[in-house]
Amino acid sequence: MRVSFQGVTVVALLADPYAPTEIAQRLARTLPDRLADKSGQARRFDVEVVSEPFTARTEDPPTLMQRIMDRGREGNWDIVVALTDLPLHSHGREIVVDLSHEHGLALVSLPPLGGFRLQTRAQQAVEEAVLSLTSPRATGPEGAPGGQPLRGPFIGRLTPIHPGQVGAEDMADLRYIVSGPRGYLRVLLGMVRANRPWRLVPDLSKALAAALATGAIATLDSTIWSLATSLGTPRLVIAMVGSVALMIGWLIVDANLWHRTDEVSPEARKTAVLYNTSTVLTVGIGVLVCYAGLMVINLVWALFILTDRVFTSATQTPLHTTDYWTLTWFVASVATVGGALGSGLESDEAIRAAAYSKREQERRILLQDGHGD
């Protein structure tokens, strides 16, 4: 591929299916005009979106860059920018962007961009990558083409993104990585966002049915009324934390969501910790959303059935407004335990579908089968 410095520059956004493709399609609406405005060279840009699983069976950056180059040769494009929602690693660091100015290629990993304002950050990363690739290349002391550094808010002083080491085996001539606690947190949040934990609620129908039934029955039990009014806030908090932790643990263990690795290298172990932490957070957020929903439903149910006369005759204490809240809180914890037991009726595939994005499901299946390159 050769970059056209006059006329129209054709940019292909090669995106993995699902979330990367959705982001690329939104980018394509405004990217040509934004690139034309920022290039300042009276250049026009055409942007095409190509949705293909170019990361299938591998997360190795050199292999991916070779695939991107091979795919670029098949198309009539000047520049290819590839987008993936899988985290990419090299030399113990998380890759954000790999650039090859010689071949007009860029590889962008979305998780290091974080879990918030992802569309905006992806737009910044793609714009700066394209502008860098279309800039006239400098040459090093030995005449080799040098990479043009990125610019703008994508790599500003307030971000944990900075240039990284490029290995001899890499096709890239310029790499940006994240490191340190802030960088790790951004990757983690990006992975959790890709999993979309809020989908856990509607997808676990049997577990939710069990939780709702448990909550409805518990709200009718006068023993639960007496117990709830006798518990102080610390015990109610302990009951909530315990029930939520039980639900999280049950889902992870029962559906075999825990990522294991046979490799002993520090990088492999760090990667395993990253994936397992994202799993716990993903499932945890989903369970907390379920817990909040149970509280709302149980509160409405309690307001409907409880009267001061019935409550007083059973507990020997008058019914106060705070008692509705206390009862609802405790019943939500009891119902969550019932939901954990009910989740055993779900298939492992249903739980994995609820806990992971499609791309993450595919990646884990390949790793479990030992097919990763």
Side-chain angles (χ1 to χ4, degrees):
M1 289 179 294
R2 298 180 60 186
V3 178
S4 303
F5 291 104
Q6 294 181 347
V8 179
T9 300
V10 182
V11 179
L13 298 181
L14 179 62
D16 267 332
Y18 311 112
T21 295
E22 295 172 5
I23 290 174
Q25 290 172 342
R26 287 193 291 266
L27 286 176
R29 299 169 189 165
T30 59
L31 193 58
D33 292 337
R34 293 179 63 88
L35 289 173
D37 291 340
K38 292 188 174 184
S39 65
Q41 301 178 23
R43 183 186 293 123
R44 293 193 300 114
F45 292 84
D46 281 345
V47 177
E48 301 177 12
V49 176
V50 181
S51 180
E52 293 181 4
F54 69 93
T55 58
R57 297 185 179 274
T58 185
E59 298 175 33
D60 179 53
T63 302
L64 293 179
M65 289 293 279
Q66 182 63 51
R67 288 183 179 181
I68 298 167
M69 184 177 70
D70 293 341
R71 184 64 181 88
R73 288 172 176 167
E74 300 174 7
N76 187 26
W77 307 312
D78 298 308
I79 291 173
V80 178
V81 179
L83 302 173
T84 180
D85 56 357
L86 295 182
L88 303 176
H89 321 275
S90 180
H91 304 287
R93 295 290 185 267
E94 308 296 328
I95 296 175
V96 186
V97 178
D98 264 0
L99 293 163
S100 173
H101 290 76
E102 179 180 359
H103 301 97
L105 307 176
L107 172 61
V108 179
S109 176
L110 297 175
L113 298 180
F116 306 102
R117 300 176 60 245
L118 179 59
Q119 186 69 36
T120 299
R121 290 173 175 173
Q123 176 179 285
Q124 293 171 350
V126 171
E127 286 178 4
E128 293 176 29
V130 172
L131 293 174
S132 176
L133 293 173
T134 55
S135 298
R137 286 179 287 161
T139 55
E142 298 181 359
Q148 302 297 317
L150 303 187
R151 56 192 179 183
F154 172 65
I155 43 93
R157 290 180 298 174
L158 299 180
T159 70
I161 301 173
H162 54 84
Q165 176 184 357
V166 179
E169 74 283 0
D170 291 306
M171 185 185 299
D173 53 48
L174 186 62
R175 167 171 293 165
Y176 282 82
I177 62 172
V178 292
S179 61
R182 288 181 61 204
Y184 183 89
L185 181 61
R186 286 184 66 161
V187 174
L188 190 58
L189 291 177
M191 294 174 67
V192 172
R193 186 188 189 281
N195 288 337
R196 292 179 290 183
W198 50 88
R199 298 180 313 145
L200 195 70
V201 179
D203 287 349
L204 295 180
S205 57
K206 294 182 177 66
L208 284 175
L212 289 171
T214 302
I217 294 173
T219 305
L220 295 172
D221 192 338
S222 60
T223 303
I224 296 292
W225 304 348
S226 300
L227 186 58
T229 56
S230 66
L231 295 176
T233 300
R235 291 189 176 184
L236 289 171
V237 171
I238 292 173
M240 178 184 69
V241 172
S243 63
V244 169
L246 176 63
M247 182 71 157
I248 294 172
W250 186 281
L251 288 172
I252 291 175
V253 173
D254 187 57
N256 194 27
L257 302 182
W258 200 252
H259 175 72
R260 295 178 177 85
T261 178
D262 295 329
E263 299 181 36
V264 295
S265 65
E267 184 169 345
R269 292 186 176 183
K270 179 181 177 182
T271 301
V273 170
L274 183 65
Y275 280 119
N276 287 329
T277 304
S278 71
T279 296
V280 172
L281 289 177
T282 298
V283 177
I285 292 172
V287 171
L288 287 174
V289 172
C290 290
Y291 191 96
L294 288 172
M295 288 193 67
V296 172
I297 294 173
N298 290 330
L299 178 59
V300 173
W301 179 232
L303 289 171
F304 178 74
I305 66 167
L306 281 184
T307 64
D308 182 69
R309 183 175 61 82
V310 173
F311 187 86
T312 302
S313 67
T315 63
Q316 307 305 313
T317 58
L319 177 63
H320 300 291
T321 303
T322 55
D323 292 326
Y324 284 107
W325 164 251
T326 302
L327 177 62
T328 299
W329 191 0
F330 182 60
V331 167
S333 299
V334 175
T336 300
V337 175
L341 298 176
S343 67
L345 301 175
E346 304 279 3
S347 67
D348 292 351
E349 291 75 15
I351 296 176
R352 292 192 188 101
Y356 294 138
S357 66
K358 294 289 187 181
R359 297 286 301 130
E360 180 66 3
Q361 291 178 58
E362 294 169 0
R363 188 199 70 81
R364 289 179 180 250
I365 290 172
L366 289 173
L367 288 181
Q368 289 174 0
D369 292 343
H371 293 156
D373 292 345

